[in-house]
Amino acid sequence: MTDEIDQRIYELVRRYDGVYLFKQKTLTPQIDIDTDLNFEREEAQALMDEFFNEFAVERSGFLIDTYYPDEPSLAQILNPFNKREVPVVPDFTLGMLIESAKAGRWLYE
């Protein structure tokens, strides 16, 4: 059962990850959706919408903004007097999807 959930999630992620000319990426629970797969916010949101539906996972507590905070405006970037704080973005891994699918609800905040 556990391996089946893992494989179903990997198949779902591959549908969003595009096509490779040579070798397909090896997916593991440690793969980060943002940094390793380079998913844009819209891609990640579409993936998660399908994830919640396909695996009947309760989505309460999940906010895409947690993993993809808003980018600063050009005016904020160019203003030398504007103190910018670098947002701390938590991991957003395939393991999180696997564990939440097993639990039937989003386990992370």
Side-chain angles (χ1 to χ4, degrees):
M1 171 90 171
T2 300
D3 289 338
E4 179 184 335
I5 290 174
D6 295 12
Q7 291 308 313
R8 287 179 56 208
I9 288 175
Y10 296 155
E11 289 169 14
L12 173 65
V13 170
R14 281 195 181 99
R15 290 197 301 256
Y16 286 86
D17 194 29
V19 177
Y20 294 90
L21 293 177
F22 299 105
K23 186 177 178 184
Q24 197 172 46
K25 289 181 187 174
T26 301
L27 299 180
T28 66
Q30 294 77 29
I31 295 285
D32 190 282
I33 293 169
D34 178 29
T35 58
D36 296 326
L37 298 177
N38 299 314
F39 279 22
E40 297 292 329
R41 179 188 180 108
E42 294 77 19
E43 293 172 305
Q45 182 65 60
L47 167 69
M48 294 308 292
D49 289 342
E50 190 169 344
F51 165 77
F52 288 121
N53 288 330
E54 186 172 322
F55 291 90
V57 173
E58 172 60 43
R59 72 168 48 231
S60 63
F62 176 80
L63 294 171
I64 196 69
D65 295 338
T66 303
Y67 308 101
Y68 289 87
D70 290 332
E71 298 285 331
S73 69
L74 184 57
Q76 290 172 322
I77 292 171
L78 296 177
N79 183 348
F81 302 105
N82 185 19
K83 182 179 175 185
R84 289 189 308 256
E85 292 184 24
V86 177
V88 177
V89 180
D91 291 338
F92 188 29
T93 66
L94 300 184
M96 294 167 72
L97 276 66
I98 292 167
E99 294 305 314
S100 294
K102 291 174 187 175
R105 63 183 176 82
W106 187 250
L107 298 173
Y108 308 91
E109 293 189 27

